[in-house]
Amino acid sequence: VRAKLSESGSLEAEAERAERFYESAPETCGVRMDRNYVFFQNGAESILLRPWDVAWAYQSTTQHRTNGIPSGKTYAAVLRTMDGKQYTLGMSESQVQTLLGAMETALPGTVLGYSDELAGLYRNNRDFFSQRWEEKAPGCTARK
């Protein structure tokens, strides 16, 4: 966490607070989160976000087929951020549901669940997601 903050040129005090976060925040399905930060690995990359950077999260289910015959499903938690990035975290279906449940408590402004309407809002009106964060966590800096 300290290395990630030093990459972005953050102040030493912020790095110390982030390090305390890493040591104290419980990990849920590979994601650490509290009121200050959200941290996870995306492949070899360490991702450190502010909670209000996470606009939307939902489960993705992919049906696999072999010669047209269903051969299994894979699941992932998809996190969409205010700046338009997407992180796909592969895990079991129960882990995705556990993570989304934990996010409901730890990240109250994050919109959870998928719908075509939410996809359209994310594409065309991210202010909707910022406003939700500001309603749920007054004083956050969701708007940049």
Side-chain angles (χ1 to χ4, degrees), residues 15 22 31 40 48 55 63 76 83 87 90 92 96 102 104 115-117 137 140:
Y22 188 81
V31 179
F40 57 92
L48 181 66
Q63 173 71 61
D83 63 1
Y87 300 100
S92 72
V96 171
E104 186 172 18
S115 74
D116 290 339
E117 180 184 355
C140 76

mmCIF file with all atom_site columns, all heavy atoms in Angstrom, residues 15 22 31 40 48 55 63 76 83 87 90 92 96 102 104 115-117 137 140:
data_model
loop_
_atom_site.group_PDB
_atom_site.id
_atom_site.type_symbol
_atom_site.label_atom_id
_atom_site.label_alt_id
_atom_site.label_comp_id
_atom_site.label_asym_id
_atom_site.label_entity_id
_atom_site.label_seq_id
_atom_site.pdbx_PDB_ins_code
_atom_site.Cartn_x
_atom_site.Cartn_y
_atom_site.Cartn_z
_atom_site.occupancy
_atom_site.B_iso_or_equiv
_atom_site.pdbx_formal_charge
_atom_site.auth_seq_id
_atom_site.auth_comp_id
_atom_site.auth_asym_id
_atom_site.auth_atom_id
_atom_site.pdbx_PDB_model_num
ATOM 1   N N   . ALA A 1 15  ? 0.347   7.973   3.487   1.00 0.00 ? 15  ALA A N   1
ATOM 2   C CA  . ALA A 1 15  ? 0.936   6.641   3.353   1.00 0.00 ? 15  ALA A CA  1
ATOM 3   C C   . ALA A 1 15  ? 0.849   5.886   4.676   1.00 0.00 ? 15  ALA A C   1
ATOM 4   O O   . ALA A 1 15  ? 0.552   4.687   4.692   1.00 0.00 ? 15  ALA A O   1
ATOM 5   C CB  . ALA A 1 15  ? 2.382   6.751   2.883   1.00 0.00 ? 15  ALA A CB  1
ATOM 6   N N   . TYR A 1 22  ? -4.244  -1.150  5.816   1.00 0.00 ? 22  TYR A N   1
ATOM 7   C CA  . TYR A 1 22  ? -3.918  -2.482  5.314   1.00 0.00 ? 22  TYR A CA  1
ATOM 8   C C   . TYR A 1 22  ? -3.787  -3.471  6.462   1.00 0.00 ? 22  TYR A C   1
ATOM 9   O O   . TYR A 1 22  ? -4.212  -4.619  6.355   1.00 0.00 ? 22  TYR A O   1
ATOM 10  C CB  . TYR A 1 22  ? -2.637  -2.450  4.484   1.00 0.00 ? 22  TYR A CB  1
ATOM 11  C CG  . TYR A 1 22  ? -2.371  -3.764  3.803   1.00 0.00 ? 22  TYR A CG  1
ATOM 12  C CD1 . TYR A 1 22  ? -3.015  -4.095  2.626   1.00 0.00 ? 22  TYR A CD1 1
ATOM 13  C CD2 . TYR A 1 22  ? -1.499  -4.694  4.368   1.00 0.00 ? 22  TYR A CD2 1
ATOM 14  C CE1 . TYR A 1 22  ? -2.800  -5.321  2.008   1.00 0.00 ? 22  TYR A CE1 1
ATOM 15  C CE2 . TYR A 1 22  ? -1.278  -5.917  3.757   1.00 0.00 ? 22  TYR A CE2 1
ATOM 16  C CZ  . TYR A 1 22  ? -1.926  -6.221  2.578   1.00 0.00 ? 22  TYR A CZ  1
ATOM 17  O OH  . TYR A 1 22  ? -1.723  -7.432  1.980   1.00 0.00 ? 22  TYR A OH  1
ATOM 18  N N   . VAL A 1 31  ? -10.472 -8.568  -1.161  1.00 0.00 ? 31  VAL A N   1
ATOM 19  C CA  . VAL A 1 31  ? -10.634 -7.115  -1.186  1.00 0.00 ? 31  VAL A CA  1
ATOM 20  C C   . VAL A 1 31  ? -10.636 -6.601  0.252   1.00 0.00 ? 31  VAL A C   1
ATOM 21  O O   . VAL A 1 31  ? -11.392 -7.090  1.089   1.00 0.00 ? 31  VAL A O   1
ATOM 22  C CB  . VAL A 1 31  ? -11.942 -6.697  -1.893  1.00 0.00 ? 31  VAL A CB  1
ATOM 23  C CG1 . VAL A 1 31  ? -12.118 -5.192  -1.888  1.00 0.00 ? 31  VAL A CG1 1
ATOM 24  C CG2 . VAL A 1 31  ? -11.975 -7.246  -3.317  1.00 0.00 ? 31  VAL A CG2 1
ATOM 25  N N   . PHE A 1 40  ? -7.161  -4.074  -3.590  1.00 0.00 ? 40  PHE A N   1
ATOM 26  C CA  . PHE A 1 40  ? -7.194  -5.441  -4.098  1.00 0.00 ? 40  PHE A CA  1
ATOM 27  C C   . PHE A 1 40  ? -6.134  -5.602  -5.162  1.00 0.00 ? 40  PHE A C   1
ATOM 28  O O   . PHE A 1 40  ? -5.564  -4.623  -5.661  1.00 0.00 ? 40  PHE A O   1
ATOM 29  C CB  . PHE A 1 40  ? -8.581  -5.808  -4.648  1.00 0.00 ? 40  PHE A CB  1
ATOM 30  C CG  . PHE A 1 40  ? -9.081  -4.886  -5.730  1.00 0.00 ? 40  PHE A CG  1
ATOM 31  C CD1 . PHE A 1 40  ? -8.840  -5.154  -7.069  1.00 0.00 ? 40  PHE A CD1 1
ATOM 32  C CD2 . PHE A 1 40  ? -9.796  -3.738  -5.408  1.00 0.00 ? 40  PHE A CD2 1
ATOM 33  C CE1 . PHE A 1 40  ? -9.304  -4.298  -8.062  1.00 0.00 ? 40  PHE A CE1 1
ATOM 34  C CE2 . PHE A 1 40  ? -10.263 -2.878  -6.384  1.00 0.00 ? 40  PHE A CE2 1
ATOM 35  C CZ  . PHE A 1 40  ? -10.013 -3.161  -7.715  1.00 0.00 ? 40  PHE A CZ  1
ATOM 36  N N   . LEU A 1 48  ? -5.475  0.623   -5.417  1.00 0.00 ? 48  LEU A N   1
ATOM 37  C CA  . LEU A 1 48  ? -5.854  1.333   -4.210  1.00 0.00 ? 48  LEU A CA  1
ATOM 38  C C   . LEU A 1 48  ? -6.792  2.460   -4.613  1.00 0.00 ? 48  LEU A C   1
ATOM 39  O O   . LEU A 1 48  ? -6.417  3.340   -5.389  1.00 0.00 ? 48  LEU A O   1
ATOM 40  C CB  . LEU A 1 48  ? -4.622  1.898   -3.502  1.00 0.00 ? 48  LEU A CB  1
ATOM 41  C CG  . LEU A 1 48  ? -4.895  2.647   -2.198  1.00 0.00 ? 48  LEU A CG  1
ATOM 42  C CD1 . LEU A 1 48  ? -5.425  1.698   -1.131  1.00 0.00 ? 48  LEU A CD1 1
ATOM 43  C CD2 . LEU A 1 48  ? -3.621  3.329   -1.719  1.00 0.00 ? 48  LEU A CD2 1
ATOM 44  N N   . ALA A 1 55  ? -18.053 3.205   -8.198  1.00 0.00 ? 55  ALA A N   1
ATOM 45  C CA  . ALA A 1 55  ? -19.400 3.666   -8.550  1.00 0.00 ? 55  ALA A CA  1
ATOM 46  C C   . ALA A 1 55  ? -20.421 2.539   -8.506  1.00 0.00 ? 55  ALA A C   1
ATOM 47  O O   . ALA A 1 55  ? -21.537 2.726   -8.032  1.00 0.00 ? 55  ALA A O   1
ATOM 48  C CB  . ALA A 1 55  ? -19.383 4.289   -9.948  1.00 0.00 ? 55  ALA A CB  1
ATOM 49  N N   . GLN A 1 63  ? -21.489 -18.393 -19.055 1.00 0.00 ? 63  GLN A N   1
ATOM 50  C CA  . GLN A 1 63  ? -21.820 -19.787 -19.349 1.00 0.00 ? 63  GLN A CA  1
ATOM 51  C C   . GLN A 1 63  ? -20.843 -20.284 -20.413 1.00 0.00 ? 63  GLN A C   1
ATOM 52  O O   . GLN A 1 63  ? -20.743 -19.697 -21.488 1.00 0.00 ? 63  GLN A O   1
ATOM 53  C CB  . GLN A 1 63  ? -23.259 -19.897 -19.886 1.00 0.00 ? 63  GLN A CB  1
ATOM 54  C CG  . GLN A 1 63  ? -23.648 -21.279 -20.381 1.00 0.00 ? 63  GLN A CG  1
ATOM 55  C CD  . GLN A 1 63  ? -23.816 -22.291 -19.261 1.00 0.00 ? 63  GLN A CD  1
ATOM 56  O OE1 . GLN A 1 63  ? -24.653 -22.115 -18.408 1.00 0.00 ? 63  GLN A OE1 1
ATOM 57  N NE2 . GLN A 1 63  ? -23.006 -23.337 -19.269 1.00 0.00 ? 63  GLN A NE2 1
ATOM 58  N N   . ALA A 1 76  ? -17.604 -13.730 -11.562 1.00 0.00 ? 76  ALA A N   1
ATOM 59  C CA  . ALA A 1 76  ? -16.682 -12.649 -11.225 1.00 0.00 ? 76  ALA A CA  1
ATOM 60  C C   . ALA A 1 76  ? -17.453 -11.508 -10.587 1.00 0.00 ? 76  ALA A C   1
ATOM 61  O O   . ALA A 1 76  ? -18.648 -11.323 -10.849 1.00 0.00 ? 76  ALA A O   1
ATOM 62  C CB  . ALA A 1 76  ? -15.966 -12.138 -12.476 1.00 0.00 ? 76  ALA A CB  1
ATOM 63  N N   . ASP A 1 83  ? -14.011 6.908   -12.805 1.00 0.00 ? 83  ASP A N   1
ATOM 64  C CA  . ASP A 1 83  ? -13.227 7.357   -13.958 1.00 0.00 ? 83  ASP A CA  1
ATOM 65  C C   . ASP A 1 83  ? -13.379 6.446   -15.175 1.00 0.00 ? 83  ASP A C   1
ATOM 66  O O   . ASP A 1 83  ? -12.642 6.567   -16.150 1.00 0.00 ? 83  ASP A O   1
ATOM 67  C CB  . ASP A 1 83  ? -11.761 7.530   -13.580 1.00 0.00 ? 83  ASP A CB  1
ATOM 68  C CG  . ASP A 1 83  ? -11.096 6.239   -13.142 1.00 0.00 ? 83  ASP A CG  1
ATOM 69  O OD1 . ASP A 1 83  ? -11.764 5.172   -13.137 1.00 0.00 ? 83  ASP A OD1 1
ATOM 70  O OD2 . ASP A 1 83  ? -9.908  6.279   -12.787 1.00 0.00 ? 83  ASP A OD2 1
ATOM 71  N N   . TYR A 1 87  ? -12.805 -3.344  -13.230 1.00 0.00 ? 87  TYR A N   1
ATOM 72  C CA  . TYR A 1 87  ? -11.978 -4.398  -12.666 1.00 0.00 ? 87  TYR A CA  1
ATOM 73  C C   . TYR A 1 87  ? -12.842 -5.632  -12.531 1.00 0.00 ? 87  TYR A C   1
ATOM 74  O O   . TYR A 1 87  ? -13.929 -5.582  -11.963 1.00 0.00 ? 87  TYR A O   1
ATOM 75  C CB  . TYR A 1 87  ? -11.425 -3.980  -11.297 1.00 0.00 ? 87  TYR A CB  1
ATOM 76  C CG  . TYR A 1 87  ? -10.570 -2.743  -11.381 1.00 0.00 ? 87  TYR A CG  1
ATOM 77  C CD1 . TYR A 1 87  ? -11.085 -1.500  -11.039 1.00 0.00 ? 87  TYR A CD1 1
ATOM 78  C CD2 . TYR A 1 87  ? -9.253  -2.816  -11.825 1.00 0.00 ? 87  TYR A CD2 1
ATOM 79  C CE1 . TYR A 1 87  ? -10.306 -0.356  -11.134 1.00 0.00 ? 87  TYR A CE1 1
ATOM 80  C CE2 . TYR A 1 87  ? -8.470  -1.667  -11.920 1.00 0.00 ? 87  TYR A CE2 1
ATOM 81  C CZ  . TYR A 1 87  ? -9.006  -0.443  -11.577 1.00 0.00 ? 87  TYR A CZ  1
ATOM 82  O OH  . TYR A 1 87  ? -8.240  0.689   -11.675 1.00 0.00 ? 87  TYR A OH  1
ATOM 83  N N   . GLY A 1 90  ? -12.230 -12.549 -10.668 1.00 0.00 ? 90  GLY A N   1
ATOM 84  C CA  . GLY A 1 90  ? -12.764 -13.897 -10.765 1.00 0.00 ? 90  GLY A CA  1
ATOM 85  C C   . GLY A 1 90  ? -12.791 -14.588 -9.416  1.00 0.00 ? 90  GLY A C   1
ATOM 86  O O   . GLY A 1 90  ? -11.823 -14.517 -8.659  1.00 0.00 ? 90  GLY A O   1
ATOM 87  N N   . SER A 1 92  ? -15.593 -17.613 -6.939  1.00 0.00 ? 92  SER A N   1
ATOM 88  C CA  . SER A 1 92  ? -16.794 -18.455 -6.958  1.00 0.00 ? 92  SER A CA  1
ATOM 89  C C   . SER A 1 92  ? -18.045 -17.591 -6.791  1.00 0.00 ? 92  SER A C   1
ATOM 90  O O   . SER A 1 92  ? -17.974 -16.451 -6.336  1.00 0.00 ? 92  SER A O   1
ATOM 91  C CB  . SER A 1 92  ? -16.734 -19.499 -5.837  1.00 0.00 ? 92  SER A CB  1
ATOM 92  O OG  . SER A 1 92  ? -16.929 -18.868 -4.576  1.00 0.00 ? 92  SER A OG  1
ATOM 93  N N   . VAL A 1 96  ? -18.543 -14.050 -4.678  1.00 0.00 ? 96  VAL A N   1
ATOM 94  C CA  . VAL A 1 96  ? -19.055 -12.806 -5.260  1.00 0.00 ? 96  VAL A CA  1
ATOM 95  C C   . VAL A 1 96  ? -20.169 -12.258 -4.378  1.00 0.00 ? 96  VAL A C   1
ATOM 96  O O   . VAL A 1 96  ? -20.190 -11.069 -4.038  1.00 0.00 ? 96  VAL A O   1
ATOM 97  C CB  . VAL A 1 96  ? -19.573 -13.013 -6.705  1.00 0.00 ? 96  VAL A CB  1
ATOM 98  C CG1 . VAL A 1 96  ? -20.292 -11.764 -7.206  1.00 0.00 ? 96  VAL A CG1 1
ATOM 99  C CG2 . VAL A 1 96  ? -18.437 -13.383 -7.645  1.00 0.00 ? 96  VAL A CG2 1
ATOM 100 N N   . ALA A 1 102 ? -20.588 -7.494  1.699   1.00 0.00 ? 102 ALA A N   1
ATOM 101 C CA  . ALA A 1 102 ? -19.655 -6.687  2.488   1.00 0.00 ? 102 ALA A CA  1
ATOM 102 C C   . ALA A 1 102 ? -19.572 -5.264  1.941   1.00 0.00 ? 102 ALA A C   1
ATOM 103 O O   . ALA A 1 102 ? -19.464 -4.298  2.706   1.00 0.00 ? 102 ALA A O   1
ATOM 104 C CB  . ALA A 1 102 ? -18.273 -7.338  2.499   1.00 0.00 ? 102 ALA A CB  1
ATOM 105 N N   . GLU A 1 104 ? -21.939 -3.636  0.538   1.00 0.00 ? 104 GLU A N   1
ATOM 106 C CA  . GLU A 1 104 ? -23.176 -2.933  0.898   1.00 0.00 ? 104 GLU A CA  1
ATOM 107 C C   . GLU A 1 104 ? -22.995 -2.181  2.216   1.00 0.00 ? 104 GLU A C   1
ATOM 108 O O   . GLU A 1 104 ? -23.488 -1.063  2.375   1.00 0.00 ? 104 GLU A O   1
ATOM 109 C CB  . GLU A 1 104 ? -24.321 -3.933  0.998   1.00 0.00 ? 104 GLU A CB  1
ATOM 110 C CG  . GLU A 1 104 ? -25.663 -3.305  1.231   1.00 0.00 ? 104 GLU A CG  1
ATOM 111 C CD  . GLU A 1 104 ? -26.789 -4.322  1.129   1.00 0.00 ? 104 GLU A CD  1
ATOM 112 O OE1 . GLU A 1 104 ? -26.539 -5.541  1.221   1.00 0.00 ? 104 GLU A OE1 1
ATOM 113 O OE2 . GLU A 1 104 ? -27.935 -3.876  0.956   1.00 0.00 ? 104 GLU A OE2 1
ATOM 114 N N   . SER A 1 115 ? -28.299 -4.011  -14.104 1.00 0.00 ? 115 SER A N   1
ATOM 115 C CA  . SER A 1 115 ? -29.484 -3.868  -14.945 1.00 0.00 ? 115 SER A CA  1
ATOM 116 C C   . SER A 1 115 ? -29.060 -3.075  -16.184 1.00 0.00 ? 115 SER A C   1
ATOM 117 O O   . SER A 1 115 ? -28.063 -2.345  -16.148 1.00 0.00 ? 115 SER A O   1
ATOM 118 C CB  . SER A 1 115 ? -30.627 -3.145  -14.214 1.00 0.00 ? 115 SER A CB  1
ATOM 119 O OG  . SER A 1 115 ? -30.346 -1.766  -14.101 1.00 0.00 ? 115 SER A OG  1
ATOM 120 N N   . ASP A 1 116 ? -29.810 -3.213  -17.264 1.00 0.00 ? 116 ASP A N   1
ATOM 121 C CA  . ASP A 1 116 ? -29.498 -2.452  -18.475 1.00 0.00 ? 116 ASP A CA  1
ATOM 122 C C   . ASP A 1 116 ? -29.623 -0.950  -18.210 1.00 0.00 ? 116 ASP A C   1
ATOM 123 O O   . ASP A 1 116 ? -28.871 -0.154  -18.767 1.00 0.00 ? 116 ASP A O   1
ATOM 124 C CB  . ASP A 1 116 ? -30.415 -2.862  -19.623 1.00 0.00 ? 116 ASP A CB  1
ATOM 125 C CG  . ASP A 1 116 ? -30.106 -4.273  -20.135 1.00 0.00 ? 116 ASP A CG  1
ATOM 126 O OD1 . ASP A 1 116 ? -28.972 -4.767  -19.908 1.00 0.00 ? 116 ASP A OD1 1
ATOM 127 O OD2 . ASP A 1 116 ? -30.999 -4.889  -20.754 1.00 0.00 ? 116 ASP A OD2 1
ATOM 128 N N   . GLU A 1 117 ? -30.577 -0.575  -17.341 1.00 0.00 ? 117 GLU A N   1
ATOM 129 C CA  . GLU A 1 117 ? -30.744 0.839   -17.001 1.00 0.00 ? 117 GLU A CA  1
ATOM 130 C C   . GLU A 1 117 ? -29.500 1.393   -16.306 1.00 0.00 ? 117 GLU A C   1
ATOM 131 O O   . GLU A 1 117 ? -29.031 2.489   -16.633 1.00 0.00 ? 117 GLU A O   1
ATOM 132 C CB  . GLU A 1 117 ? -31.968 1.019   -16.102 1.00 0.00 ? 117 GLU A CB  1
ATOM 133 C CG  . GLU A 1 117 ? -32.206 2.463   -15.707 1.00 0.00 ? 117 GLU A CG  1
ATOM 134 C CD  . GLU A 1 117 ? -33.369 2.628   -14.741 1.00 0.00 ? 117 GLU A CD  1
ATOM 135 O OE1 . GLU A 1 117 ? -34.059 1.645   -14.433 1.00 0.00 ? 117 GLU A OE1 1
ATOM 136 O OE2 . GLU A 1 117 ? -33.575 3.766   -14.295 1.00 0.00 ? 117 GLU A OE2 1
ATOM 137 N N   . ALA A 1 137 ? -22.892 9.271   1.953   1.00 0.00 ? 137 ALA A N   1
ATOM 138 C CA  . ALA A 1 137 ? -21.693 9.605   2.732   1.00 0.00 ? 137 ALA A CA  1
ATOM 139 C C   . ALA A 1 137 ? -21.398 11.097  2.564   1.00 0.00 ? 137 ALA A C   1
ATOM 140 O O   . ALA A 1 137 ? -20.467 11.474  1.846   1.00 0.00 ? 137 ALA A O   1
ATOM 141 C CB  . ALA A 1 137 ? -20.500 8.756   2.278   1.00 0.00 ? 137 ALA A CB  1
ATOM 142 N N   . CYS A 1 140 ? -18.007 13.246  1.318   1.00 0.00 ? 140 CYS A N   1
ATOM 143 C CA  . CYS A 1 140 ? -17.035 12.539  0.493   1.00 0.00 ? 140 CYS A CA  1
ATOM 144 C C   . CYS A 1 140 ? -16.737 13.384  -0.736  1.00 0.00 ? 140 CYS A C   1
ATOM 145 O O   . CYS A 1 140 ? -17.481 14.295  -1.074  1.00 0.00 ? 140 CYS A O   1
ATOM 146 C CB  . CYS A 1 140 ? -17.553 11.151  0.087   1.00 0.00 ? 140 CYS A CB  1
ATOM 147 S SG  . CYS A 1 140 ? -18.803 11.188  -1.218  1.00 0.00 ? 140 CYS A SG  1
#
